[in-house]
Amino acid sequence: MDHREEHRVGEYVVRRARPEDVEGARRVMLDTFYKEFGHGYHARWHADVVDIEGTYLAQPRHALFVAVRDEQVTATTAIRPGGPRCPPHPEWLAARYGDGRTAQFFRVYVDREHRRHGLASALVSLACDFVSTIPEYSTIYLHTNPAVEGAAPFWHSAATEIYDAREDSRYSPSVHFEIPIPGRDDATSAALASADYAG
């Protein structure tokens, strides 16, 4: 799947976000914070939502993907470099993904009215293909809140679980995953991981 193209998923188009998608994507993200997570917007964790253009549209190793129906953004998925932070996640986990070569999933959200159409799967596939075009990336990482309906089962079907933080009350109750980079075998990933990178 070419990350530069549009692809249809039933009545929806999935594609890399454009400037005209920014407000709709922001709405999906904020609705998720308030209606699904119940904690609302927090500047420390959600600055990218305020500056979607600067975070995702203007950076070559970052990207935002959207699902659109009738010109309305109904789902989002984002990629940017970096791993989990300590705190609230374990120090060893932050160190594992702290080498600058990790692509992390963010904002994999589908508006409640548009679920069960395969949008999350299509957007994740599109984002993984994008990562495969960036040679500096050697790993795809994400974590999810298992309290969110359907989140953990979805990621267990698409990724490999690395750590379940619910087993330790010291940390945020999240589940951590990796996804293989499409088109890369283990030897290629190992070579990239050992290469010099100045980012």
Side-chain angles (χ1 to χ4, degrees), residues 113-132:
E113 295 180 7
H114 299 274
R115 293 177 185 170
R116 310 261 191 271
H117 293 285
L119 300 180
S121 294
L123 289 169
V124 165
S125 177
L126 204 59
C128 287
D129 284 344
F130 165 77
V131 172
S132 75

Side-chain angles (χ1 to χ4, degrees), residues 89-163:
H89 305 296
E91 184 176 355
W92 69 265
L93 197 64
R96 174 174 177 151
Y97 299 104
D99 62 0
R101 300 182 183 91
T102 297
Q104 183 174 179
F105 270 102
F106 289 89
R107 316 301 176 215
V108 184
Y109 304 146
V110 180
D111 186 282
R112 182 171 286 275
E113 295 180 7
H114 299 274
R115 293 177 185 170
R116 310 261 191 271
H117 293 285
L119 300 180
S121 294
L123 289 169
V124 165
S125 177
L126 204 59
C128 287
D129 284 344
F130 165 77
V131 172
S132 75
T133 70
I134 309 295
E136 294 86 2
Y137 284 139
S138 62
T139 307
I140 302 175
Y141 161 85
L142 68 110
H143 63 269
T144 192
N145 180 350
V148 176
E149 180 184 355
F154 171 76
W155 288 116
H156 275 111
S157 72
T160 300
E161 181 181 317
I162 301 301
Y163 175 63

